[in-house]
Amino acid sequence: MIMSHSTQIHISFPSVLGYEKVARDAVASFAKFVGFDSHRLEDIKTALGEACINAIEHGNLLNADLRVHVLCTYEHNRFLVKVFDQGLKDYNKATKPISIEEKVAGLGTLRGMGLMIITELADESAFFDESDGSSCLQLTWYCDLASKT
Amino acid sequence: MNNDVTRAEQSEKIIELRLPSKLGYERVAMDAASTLANKMGFHRDRVDALKTAIAEAVTNAIEHGNQHNETMKVVVLLTVREGELIISVTDQSDQSIPPEVLARIPKIDEKFTEDDKGGWGIWLIRELMDEVEFKTAPTGGNQIRMVIHLEQ
């Protein structure tokens, strides 16, 4: 189904690893509803899963009393997903992510690939600091209407 | 409140979804609930029952509660407790569900001769869930509270 007007869903969940799957699948259901194909759905699911895990682990420091909020909007072929956390641990904007080759060579931990994966899979991604102290990772995908009509 | 209830509430985890009142968005609630129920260890048949019940509840909220007004939200709360999943679906209607609608038991023989083949939702929900309760939400609106128990 293709929709032209703005629609929005909001999901929130506690900062416990595993609950990101619920948000991931809810957003994927929304993305499928607005017309994304299966390949793009997998990109969205993977990137959002990583973003939510980052929010749980780093933004909210695994504090189950703190919530992760996911706001998902579709308007004019633009699928916008915002992931909010409490910003307890600042993300490092300045450091260039270590490459896979460098990781394989033992030059860094094998973890910490989330941001790189997110950057590769989303059409656009950016961090924002909110005025209330929380952090927002904004992910954007564009739905190609031409291929659906 | 006894100690068992207190412990259950202390360990509960709540997932909240806010959906527009547009048919089709019940799929979002179905998929979220399905993922959660699978994670909790529910049997596939019970997950299917849950998906059907939540789809009916959200569809009712969209169609009857919020009258397809897309600016009005349907709020779905999925509360994980030890051994059970509690699902509440709330609309923003200021009209209560008539008691006769809640009590109605559709008869399939009559449905064959009626133009309206619908009206199975509430009956289906009662058949599929372990506990079902209809009430007015603290914030207003109609709320259906459903419980499904995890069988050991």
Side-chain angles (χ1 to χ4, degrees):
Chain A
M1 176 181 287
I2 306 299
M3 295 182 294
S4 57
H5 54 276
S6 171
T7 44
Q8 187 176 78
I9 65 170
H10 177 204
I11 305 151
S12 74
F13 58 92
S15 298
V16 177
L17 286 172
Y19 285 92
E20 77 281 357
K21 294 174 186 172
V22 180
R24 178 197 68 188
D25 289 354
V27 170
S29 185
F30 183 27
K32 185 177 180 183
F33 184 56
V34 302
F36 282 98
D37 66 29
S38 59
H39 295 294
R40 298 281 275 170
L41 283 178
E42 292 307 314
D43 290 351
I44 292 169
K45 288 170 70 174
T46 304
L48 179 60
E50 289 293 336
C52 289
I53 289 170
N54 282 348
I56 293 169
E57 285 190 333
H58 305 302
N60 290 346
L61 295 176
L62 293 164
N63 182 341
D65 293 330
L66 299 178
R67 298 183 72 78
V68 176
H69 292 266
V70 178
L71 197 60
C72 190
T73 309
Y74 182 70
E75 187 173 29
H76 303 306
N77 304 334
R78 184 179 186 230
F79 193 74
L80 182 67
V81 184
K82 293 181 176 179
V83 180
F84 295 90
D85 61 46
Q86 295 301 308
L88 297 182
K89 182 179 171 187
D90 199 15
Y91 54 90
N92 193 338
K93 303 170 191 171
T95 307
K96 181 177 176 288
I98 193 165
S99 70
I100 292 176
E101 290 78 12
E102 289 167 327
K103 285 179 181 292
V104 171
L107 298 175
T109 171
L110 291 176
R111 293 204 61 201
M113 297 175 70
L115 287 180
M116 184 177 62
I117 290 170
I118 290 167
T119 305
E120 291 295 321
L121 295 178
D123 293 337
E124 296 169 3
S125 62
F127 276 105
F128 295 98
D129 291 320
E130 300 291 312
S131 56
D132 63 358
S134 62
S135 293
C136 171
L137 173 55
Q138 181 173 296
L139 310 172
T140 308
W141 285 269
Y142 294 95
C143 193
D144 181 13
L145 269 181
S147 65
K148 309 287 177 197
T149 54
Chain B
M1 184 180 293
N2 63 37
N3 288 337
D4 288 341
V5 171
T6 304
R7 274 197 296 273
E9 289 182 351
Q10 281 175 344
S11 63
E12 71 184 22
K13 301 281 184 292
I14 300 174
I15 294 153
E16 179 177 327
L17 296 106
R18 289 179 175 269
L19 307 172
S21 295
K22 183 177 173 63
L23 286 177
Y25 282 89
E26 70 277 6
R27 295 268 353 164
V28 176
M30 288 168 70
D31 289 344
S34 171
T35 299
L36 184 59
N38 277 314
K39 178 180 180 302
M40 291 176 70
F42 280 96
H43 189 273
R44 194 169 63 187
D45 292 345
R46 298 289 279 163
V47 175
D48 287 342
L50 171 63
K51 288 170 71 176
T52 303
I54 200 167
E56 291 293 340
V58 175
T59 301
N60 280 349
I62 292 170
E63 284 187 335
H64 304 300
N66 291 346
Q67 302 280 313
H68 297 277
N69 181 342
E70 292 179 32
T71 62
M72 296 170 82
K73 295 291 182 188
V74 177
V75 179
V76 180
L77 295 182
L78 304 167
T79 303
V80 179
R81 284 191 183 170
E82 184 74 34
E84 65 183 17
L85 175 60
I86 304 167
I87 307 102
S88 82
V89 177
T90 307
D91 62 40
Q92 294 184 306
S93 173
D94 55 5
Q95 303 286 319
S96 297
I97 306 171
E100 62 270 22
V101 171
L102 295 178
R104 186 184 298 158
I105 301 174
K107 294 186 173 64
I108 197 161
D109 293 344
E110 294 173 4
K111 287 291 177 186
F112 280 127
T113 58
E114 291 174 0
D115 290 335
D116 179 11
K117 307 296 185 199
W120 293 88
I122 292 173
W123 176 81
L124 258 179
I125 291 167
R126 290 193 197 278
E127 289 292 310
L128 294 171
M129 295 289 97
D130 295 324
E131 298 174 36
V132 179
E133 180 186 10
F134 291 88
K135 58 186 177 181
T136 301
T139 53
N142 298 297
Q143 183 177 72
I144 176 170
R145 180 182 183 273
M146 304 173 279
V147 183
I148 181 168
H149 300 300
L150 188 60
E151 290 159 15
Q152 300 302 316

Tab-separated table of all heavy atoms in Angstrom, chain A residues 19-57:
chain	number	residue	atom	x	y	z
A	19	TYR	N	14.429	-6.336	23.981
A	19	TYR	CA	13.201	-5.602	23.676
A	19	TYR	C	13.326	-4.776	22.396
A	19	TYR	O	12.329	-4.331	21.837
A	19	TYR	CB	12.773	-4.737	24.851
A	19	TYR	CG	12.169	-5.560	25.952
A	19	TYR	CD1	12.941	-6.061	26.985
A	19	TYR	CD2	10.819	-5.886	25.924
A	19	TYR	CE1	12.393	-6.857	27.967
A	19	TYR	CE2	10.262	-6.673	26.905
A	19	TYR	CZ	11.052	-7.166	27.933
A	19	TYR	OH	10.499	-7.965	28.896
A	20	GLU	N	14.567	-4.583	21.942
A	20	GLU	CA	14.737	-3.868	20.672
A	20	GLU	C	14.079	-4.636	19.525
A	20	GLU	O	13.697	-4.050	18.509
A	20	GLU	CB	16.230	-3.612	20.387
A	20	GLU	CG	17.042	-4.791	19.887
A	20	GLU	CD	17.448	-5.760	21.011
A	20	GLU	OE1	17.134	-5.474	22.182
A	20	GLU	OE2	18.086	-6.782	20.682
A	21	LYS	N	13.947	-5.962	19.690
A	21	LYS	CA	13.336	-6.773	18.615
A	21	LYS	C	11.868	-6.413	18.423
A	21	LYS	O	11.354	-6.488	17.313
A	21	LYS	CB	13.470	-8.262	18.957
A	21	LYS	CG	14.902	-8.747	18.969
A	21	LYS	CD	14.968	-10.179	19.453
A	21	LYS	CE	16.408	-10.633	19.606
A	21	LYS	NZ	16.493	-11.957	20.266
A	22	VAL	N	11.207	-6.049	19.503
A	22	VAL	CA	9.791	-5.695	19.413
A	22	VAL	C	9.639	-4.394	18.611
A	22	VAL	O	8.800	-4.295	17.706
A	22	VAL	CB	9.174	-5.554	20.817
A	22	VAL	CG1	7.699	-5.195	20.723
A	22	VAL	CG2	9.356	-6.838	21.615
A	23	ALA	N	10.480	-3.411	18.946
A	23	ALA	CA	10.439	-2.142	18.208
A	23	ALA	C	10.844	-2.361	16.754
A	23	ALA	O	10.212	-1.821	15.829
A	23	ALA	CB	11.374	-1.134	18.870
A	24	ARG	N	11.864	-3.157	16.558
A	24	ARG	CA	12.348	-3.444	15.199
A	24	ARG	C	11.227	-4.032	14.336
A	24	ARG	O	10.997	-3.588	13.213
A	24	ARG	CB	13.523	-4.435	15.302
A	24	ARG	CG	14.113	-4.875	13.995
A	24	ARG	CD	14.945	-6.129	14.193
A	24	ARG	NE	14.087	-7.272	14.537
A	24	ARG	CZ	14.549	-8.471	14.913
A	24	ARG	NH1	15.838	-8.665	15.032
A	24	ARG	NH2	13.715	-9.456	15.175
A	25	ASP	N	10.519	-5.020	14.881
A	25	ASP	CA	9.490	-5.688	14.084
A	25	ASP	C	8.244	-4.820	13.903
A	25	ASP	O	7.562	-4.915	12.876
A	25	ASP	CB	9.134	-7.043	14.704
A	25	ASP	CG	10.262	-8.047	14.521
A	25	ASP	OD1	11.250	-7.716	13.833
A	25	ASP	OD2	10.172	-9.160	15.069
A	26	ALA	N	7.964	-3.979	14.896
A	26	ALA	CA	6.833	-3.055	14.746
A	26	ALA	C	7.129	-2.046	13.631
A	26	ALA	O	6.279	-1.779	12.772
A	26	ALA	CB	6.566	-2.335	16.067
A	27	VAL	N	8.341	-1.488	13.632
A	27	VAL	CA	8.706	-0.515	12.599
A	27	VAL	C	8.774	-1.193	11.232
A	27	VAL	O	8.350	-0.622	10.210
A	27	VAL	CB	10.043	0.170	12.954
A	27	VAL	CG1	10.567	0.999	11.775
A	27	VAL	CG2	9.863	1.067	14.176
A	28	ALA	N	9.283	-2.414	11.186
A	28	ALA	CA	9.346	-3.146	9.909
A	28	ALA	C	7.940	-3.377	9.360
A	28	ALA	O	7.718	-3.292	8.146
A	28	ALA	CB	10.062	-4.478	10.109
A	29	SER	N	6.990	-3.644	10.250
A	29	SER	CA	5.609	-3.836	9.829
A	29	SER	C	5.064	-2.545	9.209
A	29	SER	O	4.392	-2.562	8.177
A	29	SER	CB	4.785	-4.245	11.060
A	29	SER	OG	3.476	-4.555	10.708
A	30	PHE	N	5.369	-1.425	9.839
A	30	PHE	CA	4.971	-0.109	9.321
A	30	PHE	C	5.631	0.136	7.956
A	30	PHE	O	4.985	0.566	6.993
A	30	PHE	CB	5.384	0.954	10.337
A	30	PHE	CG	4.990	2.369	9.995
A	30	PHE	CD1	3.896	2.662	9.198
A	30	PHE	CD2	5.719	3.436	10.521
A	30	PHE	CE1	3.537	3.976	8.917
A	30	PHE	CE2	5.377	4.750	10.238
A	30	PHE	CZ	4.285	5.016	9.428
A	31	ALA	N	6.938	-0.172	7.855
A	31	ALA	CA	7.677	0.052	6.603
A	31	ALA	C	7.106	-0.806	5.472
A	31	ALA	O	6.992	-0.357	4.326
A	31	ALA	CB	9.154	-0.253	6.819
A	32	LYS	N	6.742	-2.023	5.808
A	32	LYS	CA	6.137	-2.899	4.801
A	32	LYS	C	4.788	-2.330	4.357
A	32	LYS	O	4.456	-2.335	3.173
A	32	LYS	CB	5.953	-4.299	5.395
A	32	LYS	CG	5.455	-5.327	4.407
A	32	LYS	CD	5.376	-6.688	5.060
A	32	LYS	CE	4.872	-7.737	4.058
A	32	LYS	NZ	4.714	-9.051	4.690
A	33	PHE	N	4.052	-1.817	5.306
A	33	PHE	CA	2.731	-1.244	5.041
A	33	PHE	C	2.821	-0.055	4.077
A	33	PHE	O	1.954	0.130	3.221
A	33	PHE	CB	2.109	-0.828	6.376
A	33	PHE	CG	0.711	-0.312	6.292
A	33	PHE	CD1	-0.303	-1.059	5.724
A	33	PHE	CD2	0.393	0.934	6.809
A	33	PHE	CE1	-1.606	-0.583	5.665
A	33	PHE	CE2	-0.901	1.414	6.754
A	33	PHE	CZ	-1.899	0.659	6.180
A	34	VAL	N	3.882	0.753	4.204
A	34	VAL	CA	3.988	1.927	3.334
A	34	VAL	C	4.652	1.601	2.004
A	34	VAL	O	4.712	2.451	1.122
A	34	VAL	CB	4.730	3.112	4.016
A	34	VAL	CG1	4.030	3.513	5.301
A	34	VAL	CG2	6.190	2.801	4.274
A	35	GLY	N	5.161	0.380	1.833
A	35	GLY	CA	5.584	-0.029	0.500
A	35	GLY	C	7.038	-0.384	0.287
A	35	GLY	O	7.465	-0.562	-0.851
A	36	PHE	N	7.839	-0.511	1.321
A	36	PHE	CA	9.243	-0.899	1.132
A	36	PHE	C	9.341	-2.368	0.729
A	36	PHE	O	8.564	-3.210	1.212
A	36	PHE	CB	10.043	-0.670	2.413
A	36	PHE	CG	10.422	0.764	2.640
A	36	PHE	CD1	9.672	1.575	3.477
A	36	PHE	CD2	11.523	1.317	2.000
A	36	PHE	CE1	10.004	2.897	3.683
A	36	PHE	CE2	11.867	2.640	2.196
A	36	PHE	CZ	11.103	3.436	3.043
A	37	ASP	N	10.306	-2.684	-0.145
A	37	ASP	CA	10.480	-4.075	-0.563
A	37	ASP	C	11.280	-4.840	0.495
A	37	ASP	O	11.792	-4.266	1.457
A	37	ASP	CB	11.120	-4.169	-1.950
A	37	ASP	CG	12.545	-3.647	-1.992
A	37	ASP	OD1	13.252	-3.720	-0.962
A	37	ASP	OD2	12.963	-3.160	-3.050
A	38	SER	N	11.380	-6.149	0.307
A	38	SER	CA	11.953	-7.013	1.347
A	38	SER	C	13.426	-6.696	1.634
A	38	SER	O	13.864	-6.790	2.783
A	38	SER	CB	11.788	-8.480	0.961
A	38	SER	OG	12.421	-8.743	-0.265
A	39	HIS	N	14.173	-6.299	0.602
A	39	HIS	CA	15.591	-5.982	0.825
A	39	HIS	C	15.742	-4.742	1.708
A	39	HIS	O	16.560	-4.699	2.623
A	39	HIS	CB	16.305	-5.761	-0.511
A	39	HIS	CG	16.354	-6.987	-1.359
A	39	HIS	ND1	17.063	-8.110	-0.989
A	39	HIS	CD2	15.782	-7.279	-2.543
A	39	HIS	CE1	16.921	-9.045	-1.919
A	39	HIS	NE2	16.144	-8.572	-2.869
A	40	ARG	N	14.932	-3.736	1.398
A	40	ARG	CA	15.000	-2.502	2.192
A	40	ARG	C	14.480	-2.745	3.604
A	40	ARG	O	14.973	-2.146	4.564
A	40	ARG	CB	14.173	-1.402	1.509
A	40	ARG	CG	14.700	-1.037	0.123
A	40	ARG	CD	15.894	-0.138	0.214
A	40	ARG	NE	15.464	1.240	0.347
A	40	ARG	CZ	16.276	2.239	0.627
A	40	ARG	NH1	17.558	1.994	0.850
A	40	ARG	NH2	15.824	3.463	0.722
A	41	LEU	N	13.496	-3.639	3.720
A	41	LEU	CA	12.986	-3.962	5.057
A	41	LEU	C	14.096	-4.544	5.930
A	41	LEU	O	14.211	-4.218	7.110
A	41	LEU	CB	11.835	-4.968	4.968
A	41	LEU	CG	10.477	-4.428	4.541
A	41	LEU	CD1	9.472	-5.573	4.456
A	41	LEU	CD2	9.982	-3.373	5.513
A	42	GLU	N	14.910	-5.410	5.333
A	42	GLU	CA	16.009	-5.998	6.105
A	42	GLU	C	17.022	-4.940	6.514
A	42	GLU	O	17.577	-4.985	7.622
A	42	GLU	CB	16.682	-7.116	5.301
A	42	GLU	CG	15.809	-8.343	5.093
A	42	GLU	CD	15.247	-8.906	6.401
A	42	GLU	OE1	16.017	-9.043	7.366
A	42	GLU	OE2	14.043	-9.187	6.453
A	43	ASP	N	17.287	-3.987	5.625
A	43	ASP	CA	18.178	-2.869	5.976
A	43	ASP	C	17.619	-2.090	7.166
A	43	ASP	O	18.349	-1.757	8.113
A	43	ASP	CB	18.332	-1.905	4.788
A	43	ASP	CG	19.139	-2.496	3.648
A	43	ASP	OD1	19.736	-3.578	3.835
A	43	ASP	OD2	19.168	-1.873	2.560
A	44	ILE	N	16.325	-1.786	7.085
A	44	ILE	CA	15.680	-1.007	8.148
A	44	ILE	C	15.749	-1.772	9.474
A	44	ILE	O	16.091	-1.207	10.523
A	44	ILE	CB	14.218	-0.679	7.759
A	44	ILE	CG1	14.198	0.304	6.587
A	44	ILE	CG2	13.437	-0.117	8.948
A	44	ILE	CD1	12.819	0.502	5.953
A	45	LYS	N	15.451	-3.066	9.416
A	45	LYS	CA	15.440	-3.867	10.642
A	45	LYS	C	16.831	-3.933	11.279
A	45	LYS	O	16.987	-3.783	12.497
A	45	LYS	CB	14.930	-5.285	10.348
A	45	LYS	CG	13.451	-5.337	10.074
A	45	LYS	CD	12.993	-6.687	9.561
A	45	LYS	CE	13.042	-7.750	10.619
A	45	LYS	NZ	12.452	-9.026	10.123
A	46	THR	N	17.842	-4.150	10.448
A	46	THR	CA	19.203	-4.265	10.983
A	46	THR	C	19.674	-2.939	11.582
A	46	THR	O	20.204	-2.897	12.706
A	46	THR	CB	20.178	-4.720	9.881
A	46	THR	OG1	19.705	-5.948	9.329
A	46	THR	CG2	21.584	-4.911	10.427
A	47	ALA	N	19.461	-1.860	10.823
A	47	ALA	CA	19.921	-0.546	11.301
A	47	ALA	C	19.175	-0.146	12.573
A	47	ALA	O	19.786	0.350	13.541
A	47	ALA	CB	19.717	0.504	10.211
A	48	LEU	N	17.871	-0.361	12.588
A	48	LEU	CA	17.095	0.026	13.760
A	48	LEU	C	17.466	-0.838	14.968
A	48	LEU	O	17.560	-0.330	16.095
A	48	LEU	CB	15.590	-0.080	13.473
A	48	LEU	CG	14.684	0.276	14.647
A	48	LEU	CD1	14.923	1.722	15.103
A	48	LEU	CD2	13.226	0.079	14.297
A	49	GLY	N	17.683	-2.119	14.735
A	49	GLY	CA	18.113	-2.985	15.832
A	49	GLY	C	19.405	-2.486	16.452
A	49	GLY	O	19.537	-2.406	17.686
A	50	GLU	N	20.369	-2.130	15.611
A	50	GLU	CA	21.642	-1.591	16.113
A	50	GLU	C	21.426	-0.278	16.866
A	50	GLU	O	22.028	-0.047	17.919
A	50	GLU	CB	22.606	-1.367	14.944
A	50	GLU	CG	23.152	-2.632	14.318
A	50	GLU	CD	24.068	-3.409	15.257
A	50	GLU	OE1	24.631	-2.790	16.178
A	50	GLU	OE2	24.189	-4.637	15.081
A	51	ALA	N	20.583	0.578	16.301
A	51	ALA	CA	20.334	1.881	16.938
A	51	ALA	C	19.699	1.696	18.320
A	51	ALA	O	20.072	2.388	19.282
A	51	ALA	CB	19.422	2.727	16.049
A	52	CYS	N	18.772	0.765	18.409
A	52	CYS	CA	18.107	0.535	19.702
A	52	CYS	C	19.068	-0.091	20.718
A	52	CYS	O	19.045	0.258	21.905
A	52	CYS	CB	16.879	-0.348	19.514
A	52	CYS	SG	15.507	0.468	18.676
A	53	ILE	N	19.908	-0.994	20.254
A	53	ILE	CA	20.902	-1.602	21.160
A	53	ILE	C	21.867	-0.530	21.671
A	53	ILE	O	22.196	-0.495	22.864
A	53	ILE	CB	21.657	-2.745	20.444
A	53	ILE	CG1	20.721	-3.943	20.256
A	53	ILE	CG2	22.903	-3.150	21.227
A	53	ILE	CD1	21.277	-5.036	19.360
A	54	ASN	N	22.284	0.359	20.791
A	54	ASN	CA	23.138	1.474	21.223
A	54	ASN	C	22.438	2.327	22.279
A	54	ASN	O	23.055	2.740	23.275
A	54	ASN	CB	23.509	2.362	20.029
A	54	ASN	CG	24.609	1.759	19.177
A	54	ASN	OD1	25.248	0.787	19.578
A	54	ASN	ND2	24.817	2.323	17.997
A	55	ALA	N	21.150	2.585	22.051
A	55	ALA	CA	20.394	3.409	22.997
A	55	ALA	C	20.282	2.711	24.356
A	55	ALA	O	20.438	3.350	25.402
A	55	ALA	CB	18.999	3.702	22.430
A	56	ILE	N	20.033	1.412	24.334
A	56	ILE	CA	19.916	0.650	25.581
A	56	ILE	C	21.260	0.614	26.312
A	56	ILE	O	21.347	0.914	27.510
A	56	ILE	CB	19.451	-0.792	25.278
A	56	ILE	CG1	18.014	-0.808	24.750
A	56	ILE	CG2	19.577	-1.680	26.520
A	56	ILE	CD1	17.568	-2.165	24.185
A	57	GLU	N	22.309	0.246	25.570
A	57	GLU	CA	23.613	-0.003	26.191
A	57	GLU	C	24.349	1.285	26.560
A	57	GLU	O	24.896	1.398	27.662
A	57	GLU	CB	24.503	-0.806	25.235
A	57	GLU	CG	24.135	-2.269	25.122
A	57	GLU	CD	25.173	-3.065	24.355
A	57	GLU	OE1	25.872	-2.486	23.499
A	57	GLU	OE2	25.278	-4.279	24.587
